[in-house]
Amino acid sequence: MDARTLPPVIRLSPEDGVVIARIAIPEATTVAEGVTTNRRIPPGHKIATRAHVKGEAIRRYGQIIGFATDAIAPGDWVHTHNCAMGDFAKDYAWGVDARPTPMITPAATFMGIRRADGRVATRNYIGIVTSVNCSAHVADLIADAFKRNPFTGQDPLAEFPNVDGVVALTHKTGCGMTMGEPLRLLRRTLAGFARHVNFSHVIAIGLGCEVNQLGPMLEEQKLAGRLRNMDIQEMGGTRKTVEAGIAFVKEVLAEANRVQREPVPASELIVALQCGGSDGYSGITANPALGAASDLVVRHGGTVILSETPETYGAEHLLTRRAVSREVGEKLVAKMRWWEEYTAREGAEMNANPSPGNKAGGLTTILEKSLGAMAKGGTTNLTAVYDYAEPVTAKGFTFMDTPGYDPVGATGQVAGGANLLCFTTGRGSVFGMKPTPSIKLATNTAMYERMVDDMDVNCGTILTGEESVAQCGERIFQLMLRVASGERTKSEGYDFGSSEFAPWTLGATM
Amino acid sequence: MDARTLPPVIRLSPEDGVVIARIAIPEATTVAEGVTTNRRIPPGHKIATRAHVKGEAIRRYGQIIGFATDAIAPGDWVHTHNCAMGDFAKDYAWGVDARPTPMITPAATFMGIRRADGRVATRNYIGIVTSVNCSAHVADLIADAFKRNPFTGQDPLAEFPNVDGVVALTHKTGCGMTMGEPLRLLRRTLAGFARHVNFSHVIAIGLGCEVNQLGPMLEEQKLAGRLRNMDIQEMGGTRKTVEAGIAFVKEVLAEANRVQREPVPASELIVALQCGGSDGYSGITANPALGAASDLVVRHGGTVILSETPETYGAEHLLTRRAVSREVGEKLVAKMRWWEEYTAREGAEMNANPSPGNKAGGLTTILEKSLGAMAKGGTTNLTAVYDYAEPVTAKGFTFMDTPGYDPVGATGQVAGGANLLCFTTGRGSVFGMKPTPSIKLATNTAMYERMVDDMDVNCGTILTGEESVAQCGERIFQLMLRVASGERTKSEGYDFGSSEFAPWTLGATM
Ligand SMILES: [Ca+2]
Ligand SMILES: [Ca+2]
Ligand SMILES: [Ca+2]
Ligand SMILES: [Ca+2]
Ligand SMILES: [Ca+2]
């Protein structure tokens, strides 16, 4: 498609009173019916498509990004000179924007694996959880025994086509660590993986003398019946533990293989939302498109998990307005206060205000900037707020408190039970996370083409005008259903997802 | 050997005025010439072997553990009733105990690999350093291509017998991290591995958009000439980066293989000292035996690195007295103050005081307790104090500030340049760390026998009277020379040492 024939603007939501300039637009250009620019508009900046009276809310992604500080006419450039947050951030306005979600019935279906406890899996792995770094290599040795050999093609799991693999989940902590919340958080994370629906069977391996003792962890997390556990010291060292681990896997393979996919409703989807390596297009292509797909997941009865708390900071008012209850909203606000304290203590800073560069790029307010990331969550009501790695049981649009850093954030979301993950990227990430398949969405066509071995979806089509945000969202939703049914993502093809297991570590290392 | 025929006590150093009861000793037992007990002595407790006047220093491991608070006669039980720290901890007494080291000439030799820059390697690996977790799996994929296949025995390095392997050093951080010291510390650690003498060639792999950018890191650490670096985003994704990495390794294998071992003096040894999974025997068998070996390393002109700052806390006065200068001593004391602040900030506690259980086991003062761990360092002068992962260039007995947690502590020591690592363990650890071979020393025979697949040395022989501390130390020193010459340790046999790479992470995860 030739650049000169492309539509000059992008509409992110039908509810919006502004559109975004895809390219620099000269004065006196008609960009929509009855909307003609009255000055040059820089790329990424906003043009009003209807009149706003002074004080009226200005919406992008269907959400408030600020208020008119002056009367705004169709065709006007909208930026800091006529749009500001005003007193918005002084009032959490609990739930004022919550509204009934138009559900879609009957819900779409995918081919899932229904477990005995009723939960639905999208993959079928055997997991090896480790209590401490000291048992990491032993866990790897067990998992390696079931790995396909790239030289010979020999596949120890060839007879078990319904088993996706054996995954060792190793990390750097578990001892020399601070008691209290740091230890609780690690246990919650490990337990979340140990009970993940995408594992048919799990082994837990400890050393024996670590702070994070397996016994108390299994008891605290009520996991005792779910898994086989072994301590290397009790087993008599590396060789005996590896042999016992391999024997256990061999013992359960036939049973693990005995699963069948069957049609299940899309309401069984629990989708983790991530972005990493954002660029200037993230907020106008992949993130809003994923938001449109998130709205579809929710309208089909499923769950989406927005996270990355530091990227929501300062714009939490948008979510408190959509909260289904004051309690839910207050839990979110308490997280923001916790982060202020955490970052101050650690010599880091929380500041989401648009930088001069952001403003030059067209971002007017902190709300608009944060929405670039938050747009992934769509527009439905906020139904629950979770701690890092806490089991996600609510339906609808939920929030989990995590860092923005991809592996740590995604580890919390998957520990919470996500059975699908969608990851938008502008610069190009090669992320994957077992046992949950990760769909990677490129914000622009150039990067998509350059890293096509790693990208599952090109959302650059929105920029070129080939697709609307809604159309791209529908395409993502359809891919979600196929991936949940077993279609392999690019990162699964390269066996990503074990290195990326990264529990959030708090506290001192002693 | 029958328990009844064993000597009832252990002498830890010829300079000591006390011996340690190996078992419970009845009243009126003669435990040495002219030394007869005048009451029952519990196991692990001290018996005076000579008279001490009130106020006289009491030594264990040849070092001060306290002062007589009363006159002490030969045969007397020595504990809290007649021994205390007094004002010891109020005076750093800079350097008062420093004394000339009796050097051994000519120095012993081992078969080392002399690099072009003059440094001596004990192993010959090719390394893959990663800037961020996002490049971890790509690094693993490259290293995996050169791994021996356990099923087929196929060995991609079969033609290159002088290359010990290709090691991917992956971690969980590198982005979403706090600037300043947390980032500097990560870079120092990665750079220490990148320039490690045991690597003939190094690749550095980044994603491209991470906080810890490869370019600035290589410049800051003056590594640009030493390694090949590539960013996944610039290379065009996973497949192309893995192909380029494999091609690079293939390109340098012949050159890497062109090394020859030659006799080099023991003064080229840089030995990291670690303990993990301590037990009641650590302080009377493996740690003092390793201390005796450390003294030999130093007397042959080599370097040892004691670390694990939290285990030295409260007993730093022992090291300030042995410091070669006030500056060296002050650097150590400043580290203790830093740890007080760090742990307070993180809700953890620094407290090395003997617990009631420690006291029941025979540990009288904080000095004696800390010496249980510090004994590994031997008795020579403290020649230098280093920050975590800082290059260790001094000869003799040095200290590096690290946590006690094994993988994090050892990662700092190896980043500092350690070409050999000695690890004492009572409970039984299965530690290893590439590219540096790790010798594991068991504190007791029962654990040694139970975990013989993982243990290199049994120091339980000291407990059974088969060997003195000095004899065991000599045996460890001889093994150090053989391992430095290429003899494989147990953990190398099981391919340990990649999972254990664990840079100390400070600051908030954003
Ligand atoms: Ca280990
Ligand atoms: Ca992220
Ligand atoms: Ca990755
Ligand atoms: Ca240690
Ligand atoms: Ca690994």
Side-chain angles (χ1 to χ4, degrees):
Chain A
M1 198 179 269
D2 189 303
R4 281 159 306 176
T5 67
L6 295 177
V9 296
I10 298 170
R11 171 171 291 282
L12 293 170
S13 164
E15 297 172 69
D16 294 354
V18 297
V19 291
I20 313 300
R22 203 181 50 74
I23 47 175
I25 300 177
E27 189 180 333
T29 306
T30 298
V31 298
E33 207 184 300
V35 181
T36 302
T37 56
N38 50 30
R39 53 156 284 163
R40 180 184 175 278
I41 308 291
H45 282 245
K46 296 175 288 297
I47 304 163
T49 53
R50 62 169 180 78
H52 293 72
V53 298
K54 186 173 170 179
E56 191 178 344
I58 297 170
R59 290 180 184 266
R60 174 178 180 163
Y61 312 106
Q63 297 188 57
I64 295 169
I65 58 164
F67 299 85
T69 54
D70 213 337
I72 295 176
D76 277 1
W77 176 43
V78 176
H79 201 27
T80 47
H81 60 286
N82 58 6
C83 171
M85 259 176 84
D87 288 341
F88 187 76
K90 293 199 180 120
D91 180 7
Y92 289 121
W94 316 106
V96 296
D97 289 343
R99 48 192 174 177
T101 303
M103 301 302 285
I104 298 170
T105 48
T109 60
F110 66 96
M111 297 298 287
I113 299 163
R114 179 80 69 179
R115 300 289 188 194
D117 64 4
R119 295 184 301 160
V120 171
T122 58
R123 292 292 182 272
N124 189 43
Y125 285 99
I126 292 168
I128 309 175
V129 163
T130 54
S131 59
V132 64
N133 179 261
C134 309
S135 59
H137 184 60
V138 165
D140 275 344
L141 288 173
I142 297 168
D144 284 353
F146 298 95
K147 223 171 167 172
R148 199 168 166 282
N149 182 269
F151 298 100
T152 62
Q154 184 174 354
D155 181 0
L157 297 180
E159 287 170 59
F160 308 98
N162 299 330
V163 177
D164 288 302
V166 180
V167 189
L169 298 162
T170 69
H171 55 89
K172 306 295 187 190
T173 180
C175 201
M177 65 184 299
T178 312
M179 310 296 288
E181 185 55 15
L183 180 58
R184 276 196 299 275
L185 189 150
L186 175 64
R187 288 184 167 176
R188 207 158 66 222
T189 308
L190 295 171
F193 277 76
R195 69 168 78 90
H196 198 283
V197 68
N198 281 1
F199 288 128
S200 68
H201 298 81
V202 174
I203 319 178
I205 301 185
L207 177 59
C209 56
E210 62 270 32
V211 165
N212 181 31
Q213 290 282 299
L214 271 186
M217 178 176 96
L218 302 184
E219 195 163 321
E220 177 190 302
Q221 295 286 338
K222 302 185 176 51
L223 287 169
R226 180 155 166 85
L227 46 74
R228 179 78 57 98
N229 65 303
M230 35 184 107
D231 277 335
I232 296 168
Q233 287 168 351
E234 207 182 310
M235 299 295 294
T238 298
R239 190 176 52 76
K240 289 170 197 158
T241 313
V242 171
E243 285 171 0
I246 291 174
F248 171 79
V249 173
K250 286 186 174 166
E251 198 181 302
V252 301
L253 269 173
E255 185 179 279
N257 193 53
R258 221 173 291 133
V259 295
Q260 272 195 314
R261 289 192 180 265
E262 58 184 280
V264 296
S267 58
E268 299 289 355
L269 290 178
I270 306 174
V271 184
L273 308 171
Q274 272 290 326
C275 57
S278 305
D279 67 0
Y281 304 118
S282 300
I284 51 177
T285 62
N287 288 357
L290 180 53
S294 288
D295 280 349
L296 289 172
V297 170
V298 170
R299 293 177 61 201
H300 283 274
T303 304
V304 298
I305 312 169
L306 184 72
S307 297
E308 308 172 315
T309 315
E311 285 154 39
T312 309
Y313 181 74
E316 64 270 24
H317 315 80
L318 286 164
L319 296 181
T320 54
R321 295 171 78 96
R322 288 161 57 189
V324 292
S325 70
R326 183 173 176 133
E327 289 66 33
V328 165
E330 281 176 340
K331 193 161 176 197
L332 181 72
V333 172
K335 291 293 166 202
M336 300 298 159
R337 298 294 88 77
W338 183 91
W339 271 85
E340 285 170 355
E341 199 209 296
Y342 170 59
T343 50
R345 184 168 77 227
E346 302 292 351
E349 225 181 296
M350 294 292 275
N351 178 7
N353 286 309
S355 63
N358 291 150
K359 286 188 182 164
L363 299 177
T364 304
T365 64
I366 196 170
L367 299 172
E368 186 174 12
K369 183 182 171 188
S370 298
L371 271 172
M374 290 162 65
K376 300 189 295 290
T379 60
T380 62
N381 302 338
L382 177 67
T383 59
V385 173
Y386 293 103
D387 286 342
Y388 184 86
E390 201 183 348
V392 172
T393 52
K395 296 291 184 181
F397 166 60
T398 70
F399 187 89
M400 178 183 284
D401 176 39
T402 77
Y405 182 41
D406 311 331
V408 174
T411 295
Q413 294 172 316
V414 173
N419 57 14
L420 195 61
L421 193 148
C422 289
F423 189 114
T424 66
T425 179
R427 304 286 302 275
S429 165
V430 296
F431 184 84
M433 167 79 51
K434 288 178 184 171
T436 293
S438 299
I439 296 172
K440 284 207 299 301
L441 307 129
T443 68
N444 67 88
T445 302
M447 187 277 285
Y448 175 80
E449 287 175 351
R450 200 169 62 247
M451 294 184 65
V452 71
D453 294 329
D454 298 284
M455 295 299 131
D456 297 288
V457 178
N458 179 19
C459 302
T461 49
I462 293 168
L463 209 64
T464 56
E466 292 164 73
E467 263 181 327
S468 69
V469 168
Q471 286 168 330
C472 189
E474 174 65 32
R475 187 158 62 93
I476 294 167
F477 179 68
Q478 293 302 328
L479 180 62
M480 285 183 183
L481 296 175
R482 294 203 309 277
V483 168
S485 300
E487 185 175 308
R488 299 223 137 215
T489 57
K490 294 285 176 76
S491 67
E492 289 175 284
Y494 287 114
D495 203 29
F496 276 89
S498 184
S499 292
E500 291 78 5
F501 176 70
W504 194 4
T505 51
L506 296 176
T509 303
M510 300 287 287
Chain B
M1 200 181 265
D2 188 306
R4 282 160 305 178
T5 68
L6 294 178
V9 295
I10 297 170
R11 172 172 289 283
L12 292 170
S13 164
E15 298 172 68
D16 294 354
V18 297
V19 291
I20 313 299
R22 202 181 50 75
I23 47 173
I25 299 177
E27 188 180 336
T29 306
T30 297
V31 298
E33 207 184 299
V35 181
T36 302
T37 56
N38 50 31
R39 54 156 283 165
R40 180 184 175 280
I41 307 291
H45 282 246
K46 295 174 288 300
I47 305 162
T49 54
R50 62 169 180 79
H52 292 72
V53 299
K54 186 173 169 177
E56 191 179 342
I58 298 170
R59 288 179 185 267
R60 176 180 179 162
Y61 312 105
Q63 298 188 55
I64 296 169
I65 58 165
F67 297 86
T69 53
D70 214 337
I72 295 174
D76 276 2
W77 177 43
V78 175
H79 202 27
T80 48
H81 61 286
N82 59 6
C83 172
M85 260 177 85
D87 288 341
F88 186 78
K90 293 199 180 121
D91 181 7
Y92 289 119
W94 315 107
V96 297
D97 290 343
R99 50 191 174 177
T101 302
M103 301 302 284
I104 298 170
T105 48
T109 61
F110 66 96
M111 297 298 287
I113 299 163
R114 179 80 69 181
R115 301 288 188 195
D117 64 4
R119 295 184 301 158
V120 172
T122 59
R123 291 293 182 272
N124 189 43
Y125 285 97
I126 292 168
I128 309 175
V129 163
T130 52
S131 60
V132 65
N133 180 262
C134 310
S135 59
H137 183 62
V138 164
D140 275 344
L141 288 174
I142 298 168
D144 284 354
F146 298 94
K147 225 172 167 173
R148 201 171 163 281
N149 182 265
F151 299 100
T152 61
Q154 184 175 353
D155 181 359
L157 297 180
E159 289 171 58
F160 307 98
N162 299 330
V163 177
D164 289 301
V166 179
V167 189
L169 297 163
T170 68
H171 55 89
K172 307 294 186 190
T173 180
C175 200
M177 65 184 299
T178 313
M179 309 297 286
E181 185 55 16
L183 179 60
R184 275 195 300 275
L185 189 149
L186 176 63
R187 288 183 167 177
R188 207 157 68 221
T189 308
L190 294 171
F193 277 77
R195 68 168 79 89
H196 199 283
V197 69
N198 282 1
F199 287 129
S200 68
H201 298 81
V202 175
I203 318 178
I205 300 185
L207 176 59
C209 57
E210 61 271 31
V211 165
N212 181 31
Q213 290 281 300
L214 271 186
M217 178 175 96
L218 302 184
E219 194 163 321
E220 177 191 301
Q221 296 287 336
K222 301 183 178 52
L223 287 168
R226 182 158 165 82
L227 45 74
R228 177 79 57 98
N229 63 302
M230 36 185 105
D231 277 336
I232 295 169
Q233 286 167 353
E234 205 182 313
M235 299 294 295
T238 299
R239 190 175 53 76
K240 288 169 198 158
T241 314
V242 171
E243 284 171 359
I246 291 174
F248 172 79
V249 174
K250 286 186 173 166
E251 194 181 305
V252 301
L253 269 173
E255 185 179 279
N257 192 55
R258 220 175 289 134
V259 295
Q260 271 194 313
R261 289 191 180 264
E262 58 185 279
V264 296
S267 57
E268 299 289 356
L269 290 178
I270 306 174
V271 185
L273 308 172
Q274 271 291 327
C275 57
S278 304
D279 67 0
Y281 305 119
S282 300
I284 52 176
T285 62
N287 287 358
L290 180 53
S294 287
D295 280 348
L296 289 173
V297 170
V298 171
R299 293 178 61 202
H300 282 274
T303 303
V304 298
I305 312 169
L306 184 72
S307 295
E308 307 171 317
T309 314
E311 285 153 40
T312 309
Y313 181 74
E316 64 270 24
H317 315 80
L318 287 163
L319 296 181
T320 53
R321 295 171 78 95
R322 288 161 60 189
V324 292
S325 70
R326 182 172 176 133
E327 288 65 33
V328 166
E330 281 176 340
K331 191 160 177 199
L332 180 72
V333 172
K335 291 292 165 203
M336 300 297 159
R337 296 297 86 78
W338 183 91
W339 271 85
E340 284 169 355
E341 199 209 296
Y342 171 58
T343 50
R345 184 169 76 226
E346 301 292 351
E349 225 181 295
M350 293 292 276
N351 177 8
N353 286 310
S355 64
N358 289 151
K359 286 187 182 165
L363 297 177
T364 304
T365 64
I366 196 171
L367 299 173
E368 186 175 11
K369 183 184 171 187
S370 296
L371 271 171
M374 290 162 66
K376 299 190 296 288
T379 60
T380 63
N381 302 338
L382 176 68
T383 59
V385 173
Y386 293 102
D387 286 342
Y388 184 87
E390 201 184 348
V392 172
T393 52
K395 295 291 184 181
F397 166 60
T398 69
F399 187 89
M400 177 183 283
D401 176 38
T402 78
Y405 182 41
D406 310 332
V408 175
T411 295
Q413 294 173 316
V414 173
N419 56 15
L420 195 62
L421 192 148
C422 289
F423 189 115
T424 66
T425 178
R427 302 287 300 276
S429 166
V430 295
F431 185 84
M433 167 79 51
K434 288 177 183 171
T436 293
S438 298
I439 297 172
K440 284 207 298 301
L441 308 127
T443 69
N444 67 89
T445 301
M447 187 277 283
Y448 175 80
E449 288 177 350
R450 200 170 60 249
M451 294 184 66
V452 70
D453 295 328
D454 298 284
M455 295 299 133
D456 298 287
V457 179
N458 180 17
C459 302
T461 50
I462 293 167
L463 209 65
T464 56
E466 291 164 73
E467 263 182 327
S468 68
V469 168
Q471 286 168 329
C472 189
E474 174 65 33
R475 187 159 60 93
I476 294 167
F477 179 68
Q478 292 303 327
L479 180 62
M480 284 182 184
L481 296 175
R482 293 202 309 277
V483 168
S485 301
E487 187 175 307
R488 298 222 137 213
T489 58
K490 294 284 176 77
S491 67
E492 289 175 284
Y494 287 114
D495 203 29
F496 276 89
S498 184
S499 292
E500 291 79 4
F501 176 70
W504 193 5
T505 51
L506 295 176
T509 303
M510 299 289 286

